[in-house]
Amino acid sequence: MTERNAIAAGFITHEVTNQPPPLVYDAWKTDTVLREAVAREGGGWAEAELAKYGPVVSGEMMQLAVLANENKPKFKPFDRYGHRRDEVEFHPAYHRLMELGISHGVPGFAWRNEEKPGAHVARMALFYLHNQADQGTSCPLTMTYASVPALRHQPELAREWLPRITSTTYDGRFIPASQKAGVTVGMGMTEKQGGSDVRTNSTRAQRLGSARGPGQPYALVGHKWFFSAPMSDAFLVLAQAEGGLSCFLMPRFTPDGELNAIRIQRLKDKLGDWSNASSEVELNGAFAWMVGEEGRGVPTILEMVAMTRQDCMIGSSGQMRQALVQAIHYTRHRTAFGKRLIEQPLMRNVLADLALELEAHVALTARVSRAVDASKRDAKEAAFGRIATAVGKYWVCKRTPVFVNEAQECLGGVGYVEETNLARLYRQAPLNSIWEGSGNIQCLDVLRAASREPASREALFQELLAAQGGHAAFDEATARLHKELSNTDALETRSRFIVEGLALALQASLLIRAGNTAVSDAFCESRLGGAHGQTFGTLPAHAPMQALIERAFSEG
């Protein structure tokens, strides 16, 4: 050893110890809660497909998501010769994430298997897994999946487009859809002046030729304030036709192969969701086909919106699961004050409380997916789905930011830095409560379904009564909810309180009927019986904490 090296050796400041090893796990195999929910709601036959995606999500896709979010999409308005292009350029990691999601069936699995009961439940699990790695790519994957019911209103368009929409092939090239084996679909509804009030839309649709109505070509002139996934191959949009607000399919390229007149103004500079592009556009006579009846644009596109709202629940649940996995892994390997963090009583309470919360969200999300799955076969399931989707979208998405923040706190300062994915998850966490109708819109939809659709209200309470007698706190909560909904005085003002109560009662009902009494008792006692504080980590001391943690993320 040279004299210089000897001196340097004397100045070694520290050895890195007491840090967790890299997280290596299988996102499907380690998730008892998800596997039980999928089997319970009828998707267990697809376990082999789900088992394939689990290690991909928690392996390759985790690294891809880092790259895709560090390298944000870039807007390229012109080519090098000055020709208008309106192209969005993505990092190769984004394209690989899209390729993996589509090849494993995130947008198309349910439609390719829709003759099998439970197909949408199995697809729910695929999307839940995907969201644990990356959330930005979930936007185009969701809209592609959700476009199918709307397009079926126009059989000739469905025949041309649905084989590519439900394909397992991803093609990210900027070329006409007719030259691709697989395509993605975006959506454009909101405008500057209206937001969620889409009936105020000012974009106009002028027919091309003498014929008007469903399936006919139109030219669209106007703007869209939030135009999601502008790199998609086609978009479902709303515009004012002669007969009123109507739905249109607007391709990225016209049928003759020319670039359509969709002029991107800029990409949104968003809080999170960095791997995905969201934009503002102007439509300068953009070519589009009318989908569905003229003047019935909102009902037509709402079939798409109902499915994207379901996906908001799934996505938020998946994000919470990833946050909890990070927290449990860290606390299993980090020592403080003579014990592993996970062995410290208060930390164990926090983790168990998070695990209980997540289990309830997964149960409700999977149940809504079963209702979506059965809606074409069973009128009662369709009625339940109409109200339960709004209830679940409100509650599950609302709970995500505080959940992710609590998981960050389990790691301390490390949870606030970009090297962990918790900082990205925290930026992402508020999105789903805003997208596809914010909290107030969901609550108003619940009231509308409860008051105007007796079948939906009846289906909701039948779902609750199916667990009657399972816990005293649950029975009391159900009785209170019936009285609250029957009292029409200031009902809209009280609607958030009511919808929150409905969500908790639905979750309790599902957990009771799932048959794990330790879990359902802990939920009913803490969420309905008053034995819980305003923050996570306030479960009663006798709650089955270790069992809850293990169910959320098993060490096997």
Side-chain angles (χ1 to χ4, degrees), residues 107-279:
F109 181 88
W111 305 119
R112 294 195 303 274
N113 295 277
E114 61 182 323
E115 76 285 353
K116 299 179 183 178
H120 287 272
V121 176
R123 184 263 166 193
M124 175 277 299
L126 288 169
F127 193 59
Y128 177 90
L129 292 169
H130 187 94
N131 271 271
Q132 293 180 52
D134 181 63
Q135 300 77 45
T137 49
S138 296
C139 176
L141 294 173
T142 278
M143 292 188 294
T144 302
Y145 158 73
S147 68
V148 172
L151 285 173
R152 283 177 171 169
H153 283 273
Q154 212 53 52
E156 66 276 20
L157 291 176
R159 282 193 296 272
E160 179 185 351
W161 286 85
L162 291 191
R164 292 194 287 266
I165 287 172
T166 60
S167 168
T168 56
T169 299
Y170 172 68
D171 189 337
R173 292 178 297 165
F174 194 58
I175 59 175
S178 59
Q179 300 175 28
K180 296 185 176 187
V183 299
T184 59
V185 178
M187 180 168 60
M189 291 176 61
T190 58
E191 298 180 2
K192 294 184 180 77
Q193 73 281 355
S196 295
D197 187 4
V198 296
R199 294 186 187 278
T200 67
N201 281 14
S202 62
T203 296
R204 305 183 309 280
Q206 182 174 338
R207 52 180 159 162
L208 297 172
S210 57
R212 58 180 277 199
Q216 297 302 318
Y218 284 75
L220 306 187
V221 178
H223 81 284
K224 296 298 171 183
W225 181 232
F226 275 89
F227 194 71
S228 298
M231 60 289 176
S232 299
D233 296 289
F235 309 88
L236 283 165
V237 300
L238 294 176
Q240 300 285 356
E242 295 169 60
L245 191 63
S246 304
C247 181
F248 295 86
L249 179 67
M250 182 174 66
R252 201 70 180 82
F253 289 82
T254 64
D256 60 6
E258 296 296 319
L259 186 64
N260 207 354
I262 304 167
R263 302 296 181 236
I264 298 174
Q265 303 303 295
R266 62 174 176 171
L267 300 185
K268 297 286 191 184
D269 187 5
K270 299 169 293 185
L271 170 66
D273 202 53
W274 288 354
S275 63
N276 178 45
S278 301
S279 66

Side-chain angles (χ1 to χ4, degrees), residues 317-339:
S317 297
Q319 292 167 39
M320 285 188 274
R321 203 267 167 159
Q322 177 57 207
L324 183 56
V325 163
Q326 295 292 332
I328 293 174
H329 175 71
Y330 186 85
T331 56
R332 279 174 175 163
H333 296 279
R334 176 80 166 174
T335 300
F337 309 110
K339 292 182 181 179

